[in-house]
Structures are given as C-alpha cells and as structure tokens.
Amino acid sequence: MARITRRNFLQTTTAAGVGFWVAAGNRQALSQSANEKLNVACIGVGGKGGSDSNNAAAFGNVVAICDVDRGTLESKGNAEGFKNAEKFTDFRELLDKHGKNVDVATISTPDHMHAPATLQAMRLGISCYTQKPLTRTIFEARLLAQVAAETGVCTQMGNQGTALDSSREAIAQLRSGVLGTLKEVYAWSNRPVWAQAPGRRMDLDKFAAQVKKDNPQDADRIIEGKKKEIERALERLDWKNWLGVAPHREYWPGLYHSFQWRGWWDFGSGALGDMACHQLTVPFASCGLRDPISVIAKSTGHDYDSFPASSIIKFEFPETSERPAIPFWWYDRRGNKPPQELFSKWGIDKVSDSGVLIVGEKGAFYSSDDYCGRYELKGVEKVAVEYEKAENKGNNDINNMYELFRAKHEGNPKICHSNFVDRAGPLTETILLGNLAVWAAATGGEGGEMGEWGEKVEWDAKDLKVTNLASIKTPGVADLIKPKYPEGYRLD
C-alpha cells in the first residue's frame, strides 16, 4: 500500500465494513494487527501529554512526536511504543512532513497552542484528540467546531469524565426531568493549585534591580549566576516555539514552563479553563448551558497579565423550550464556595472542596467529584433511564481516547461524546465567556479579599460580540474573543 494513500484506503475499507472491527456482542473490538493500526502524531508529550500519548500508543502506531522541551522529547522517544517516532520541537514541521500519513493527532500543549496545532491538523484531514479547554479564546472554540464539521474529521476533547458511566447516567437522570423545573446551577473548584496574582512577571532587568537593592555586595555574582541558569534552561527548551502565537516575553525559570503557565492570561485560562470543562460535563449536557446572554464577576484583583488568586462568576442563560431562564455560579480557590445554606437545605453538611450542585423544584443533584465519578440525588429518587455505557479499556482516561479511535475506524464522528461540534466547542465557548467577565473585574478588595462586582458583560453568542459596552474599558479584551496570530500561523 502506498503510504500517501493510507487515509483514503482506511476511509474506503471502513465504509465497506472491511476487517478493522470485529463484532463482539453489542461491542466493537479494535483489531490489534500492526498493519491495521492508525498512524498517530503526538504534539506535547510531557505533563498530561505523557498519558495522552501513552493512551494513543495503545491503539495506534506513533510515527512522530513533538515537544518544545528537548529533555521530555528525548525521554518519550526512548520509551516503548515511541522508539520509531521521528522527533520535532515545532509541530508545523511535523505536520508538513507527516501530515499526509497521519490519521490521528493528540494535542496536549499549553492552552494557547491548542487551536493552532489542532486547526492545522484538521485542515490536513487528521482526526484530533485535543486537551481541555479546547482553546484559550472564544472565537478559536467556535472555529474549531466549524472546521471539524467542514472537514468531517473525528474529534474528541480531553475531558475524560465524559467517558464515565456515572456521568452519562447522571445526564440521563437529569434529562428525564427527575428534579422538576430547573432553577440554578453551581460549581466550585479547589483550583488554582498554581500561582495566580498581580505583579508576578519577572525578567533579568527587574531581577537585577531587586538584587542590587537588596544585596549590593553580591549583586554581580548573583546576576551572573541567574544568567547562566537561564542559558542552561534554554539549551533544553525551544522558547520561541513554546511561545508560539503568544506575544514575546523573556523566559524565566519556573514561571511559565512546565506547569505555571495556567495562571497567565497569554498562555492559560485560569482555574475556570482548567476545571470547568470537567465539572460542567453533566450540567452543560443536561441543563442546556450554552449561549449565555450575560456574565458578571468579582475577583481578588489582577493586572491583565496574571489571573487573580480567586474569583466568583455568575452566568445567565435564557429560557429554552426545555427549561426556564437559569443562572450558573462559578467559584474558584479552595474554600471559596456557594453559601452553606444552599447545601444545608438538602442535608449536605460537609461540602467537598470541588463539586457541582444543580437545584430543581423537586430536588437537587450533588456531585463531590470533579469528573462526576459519583453523585447523589437529594429529595428525589433515581428513575429508570437508558444511556450508552463507555467501552472499558482500563479507566475513563484511556476510554475517552479509545472512543476517538473507534470513531475514526467506523468513520462516524458522532461516536465521540465530547466531539468539537456538538459538545467541546460550545462548552468551551460558554466557559471562556466567564474569563471575559473576570478580565472586566480587575479590581480586588483590601488585603487580597474579593472586590466589588465588575461590569456586566451582555453577550451576543451568535455573533460573538459584547453588546452593552462599546468596549470593556481595559486593554486587550478583543484578544480574549478573537486573537491575532503572528506570521507563520494560520487562524481563519
């Protein structure tokens, strides 16, 4: 078989029902024949990318891997299942060379690089498993859903709770109307578990000024030592490609790579972006939490560079044919939760550090698990419901990946419960609107306390526009809706 025609061959034989899947009762079993495995490229193989690439390697043939951290790249390249993979630090070079032969790509980078890599891969006809949140900005989420629909590729977002039977059962229970008329939804998180607060950026000039002030006698030695530390780090890290589409800034040890990027507006999406895709899996699918009409927030304060240490956000959703207008409340930081009386009413005296509460006229839904691995109905009993159970390949993380491979083999993007078109794109749009309100609530209270409510953002979800303000009176807000990519990267 000519390698260049592999994708067409797979599509043709899958449509004809040839040999890739073996019936096993009502389940499908993936053929393990090496020459029938899908070719995989893994973009980002450290952190969550480590398990994403391992999961993909369990079902596919990894032909190329990419990571901006050369140490991580070498380590993964020496691991079983990756030894024959070609290594890259620039995903564009990987896709330019291997795009015609790759069937599936995993994208497990910092948030700001999800969309650039996923867009290029989908436009080459490659099915994508992209980590949550799907994108850093609202327009990118809309665009990824559109391109997925236009190209017909299979897609899956990495919110692994979607592949839990408990979350699927919970969605079915709530859709049955067991709670009666829905009234309100709450979610709270113990994130951030990384640094977030104003005034955190550091560069060599700022460092040198501080050292000369605090320790003038040893300043030259300390500054020179820091320079050498940075030089050693940049021998390992491809900082230019790590920044990618983000504005340039100096690298600083431990401040961005490899985990602290989540707390910076240019690279991450804060606690809301990190956890809401998990926690809202059930409320979004069962309560219709899409296309909010307004959002407002309060925070402990930020500087438009680093996210605040904590925030509270209120979303408003319009009435639909299935429920009245309802609010959704979000709280982040350990201990920052909805009022206790909301829980006491339902006999919940000890509230989890993270969780979800959905209140209806007849009862309430309570989950004390980020992924809805467990839940309780309060005031009502479960009803008989039907739902599609996930195929069990070990745990919900690998099950979520397996669903993408099954969808690709069967040529049916709808098999993926968290596909970009129906779930991941609209869910990410909803979540990221909350960060637009946090951006507008930059003023915190005294001593790191919560400030007053910021300006309410009234939202036209259809056209992705703020309708009540000519512009939110802070710098850079337009880039949170639609970013500008530098030369060398394609957005729309």
Side-chain angles (χ1 to χ4, degrees):
M1 178 194 326
R3 296 283 291 175
I4 197 167
T5 63
R6 174 181 173 82
R7 184 176 296 116
N8 289 337
F9 174 84
L10 287 174
Q11 291 172 343
T12 302
T13 52
T14 298
V18 176
F20 291 97
W21 292 89
V22 180
N26 292 325
R27 289 165 126 29
Q28 298 284 350
L30 185 62
S31 169
Q32 294 303 303
S33 175
N35 63 0
E36 293 176 355
K37 283 188 173 183
L38 299 173
N39 281 344
V40 179
C42 300
I43 300 170
V45 295
K48 193 67 186 74
S51 58
D52 286 346
S53 55
N54 289 343
N55 291 343
F59 305 120
N61 173 42
V62 180
V63 298
I65 58 176
C66 178
D67 203 284
V68 294
D69 188 313
R70 295 180 178 89
T72 300
L73 189 65
E74 288 299 321
S75 178
K76 179 59 74 173
N78 290 328
E80 197 64 37
F82 300 90
K83 293 179 180 179
N84 295 325
E86 187 172 1
K87 297 184 285 290
F88 298 83
T89 61
D90 188 333
F91 74 84
R92 296 169 296 178
E93 294 178 3
L94 182 158
L95 292 174
D96 284 346
K97 183 170 183 179
H98 291 281
K100 292 181 180 179
N101 300 323
V102 168
D103 305 299
V104 172
T106 63
I107 294 91
S108 312
T109 65
D111 296 352
H112 71 295
M113 296 305 292
H114 286 181
T118 306
L119 285 168
Q120 184 172 341
M122 288 195 297
R123 286 167 175 154
L124 290 169
I126 298 171
S127 293
C128 290
Y129 186 97
T130 301
Q131 262 306 319
K132 55 79 209 167
L134 191 59
T135 61
R136 188 187 69 89
T137 70
I138 301 169
F139 177 83
E140 288 174 315
R142 175 72 58 87
L143 182 61
L144 261 63
Q146 290 175 347
V147 173
E150 291 166 359
T151 59
V153 297
C154 298
T155 58
Q156 184 86 305
M157 184 168 69
N159 52 340
Q160 60 266 38
T162 305
L164 282 170
D165 289 346
S166 55
S167 73
R168 295 183 179 189
E169 181 193 59
I171 291 168
Q173 287 288 335
L174 292 166
R175 283 178 173 172
S176 76
V178 66
L179 299 185
T181 302
L182 297 173
K183 292 185 174 181
E184 50 203 5
V185 180
Y186 299 86
W188 58 100
S189 176
N190 64 355
R191 281 9 176 231
V193 292
W194 52 86
Q196 291 187 184
R200 297 175 49 239
R201 190 189 291 216
M202 181 61 69
D203 57 34
L204 201 55
D205 287 343
K206 183 178 178 181
F207 177 79
Q210 288 181 351
V211 170
K212 288 175 181 178
K213 178 182 178 182
D214 298 338
N215 195 349
Q217 290 183 330
D218 292 330
D220 289 345
R221 177 182 59 79
I222 294 171
I223 294 167
E224 187 60 30
K226 182 59 70 174
K227 287 180 180 178
K228 290 181 179 179
E229 179 187 354
I230 293 171
E231 289 172 359
R232 288 194 298 270
L234 292 178
E235 289 175 0
R236 167 184 171 131
L237 180 64
D238 185 338
W239 181 239
K240 181 179 179 181
N241 279 320
W242 191 98
L243 286 171
V245 298
H248 177 75
R249 68 172 69 197
E250 285 185 28
Y251 167 80
W252 194 259
L255 205 54
Y256 311 112
H257 179 72
S258 59
F259 181 67
Q260 298 294 332
W261 54 266
R262 295 183 183 278
W264 299 94
W265 286 98
D266 279 350
F267 311 127
S269 47
L272 183 70
D274 183 51
M275 292 309 297
C277 282
H278 293 312
Q279 293 179 261
L280 286 195
T281 290
V282 171
F284 178 83
S286 61
C287 304
L289 299 188
R290 62 183 300 164
D291 297 341
I293 56 175
S294 73
V295 62
I296 190 170
K298 60 170 67 175
S299 81
T300 53
H302 67 87
D303 56 1
Y304 310 112
D305 189 22
S306 176
F307 279 86
S310 181
S311 64
I312 300 173
I313 310 170
K314 181 185 180 184
F315 299 73
E316 294 180 296
F317 293 88
E319 180 181 4
T320 70
S321 61
E322 298 178 344
R323 57 149 178 78
I326 58 171
F328 161 60
W329 295 82
W330 168 267
Y331 298 75
D332 55 55
R333 187 183 61 188
R334 185 183 298 273
N336 182 27
K337 303 174 185 178
Q340 177 59 40
E341 53 264 30
L342 287 169
F343 301 98
S344 298
K345 178 180 178 180
W346 302 105
I348 305 168
D349 296 322
K350 186 176 180 180
V351 180
S352 56
D353 286 336
S354 298
V356 170
L357 180 71
I358 302 172
V359 179
E361 64 174 344
K362 296 180 181 178
F365 165 95
Y366 173 62
S367 175
S368 58
D369 179 78
D370 286 332
Y371 310 103
C372 195
R374 56 185 177 272
Y375 74 92
E376 304 170 68
L377 296 182
K378 301 290 186 178
V380 294
E381 298 293 329
K382 288 185 179 181
V383 297
V385 293
E386 293 183 358
Y387 61 94
E388 179 189 354
K389 292 188 175 183
E391 295 203 44
N392 186 10
K393 297 298 175 181
N395 58 48
N396 60 312
D397 198 27
I398 198 168
N399 293 349
N400 202 44
M401 179 69 71
Y402 177 75
E403 201 165 75
L404 177 68
F405 279 78
R406 184 163 73 89
K408 175 63 177 175
H409 272 291
E410 294 190 26
N412 182 5
K414 298 289 185 180
I415 285 174
C416 296
H417 280 230
S418 195
N419 69 74
F420 298 176
V421 179
D422 301 316
R423 178 76 66 81
L427 171 58
T428 302
E429 282 189 36
T430 292
I431 289 166
L432 295 180
L433 184 62
N435 276 340
L436 199 59
V438 173
W439 183 269
T443 304
E446 294 293 329
E449 294 298 314
M450 203 71 69
E452 299 297 322
W453 290 103
E455 292 183 278
K456 177 183 280 191
V457 178
E458 295 182 3
W459 183 244
D460 175 357
K462 180 177 180 294
D463 293 327
L464 303 184
K465 291 181 180 179
V466 176
T467 60
N468 62 316
L469 304 169
S471 63
I472 298 177
K473 301 178 182 65
T474 53
V477 68
D479 290 339
L480 288 177
I481 299 174
K482 181 179 180 179
K484 299 179 181 69
Y485 283 6
E487 185 176 354
Y489 297 90
R490 178 187 170 192
L491 182 58
D492 53 353

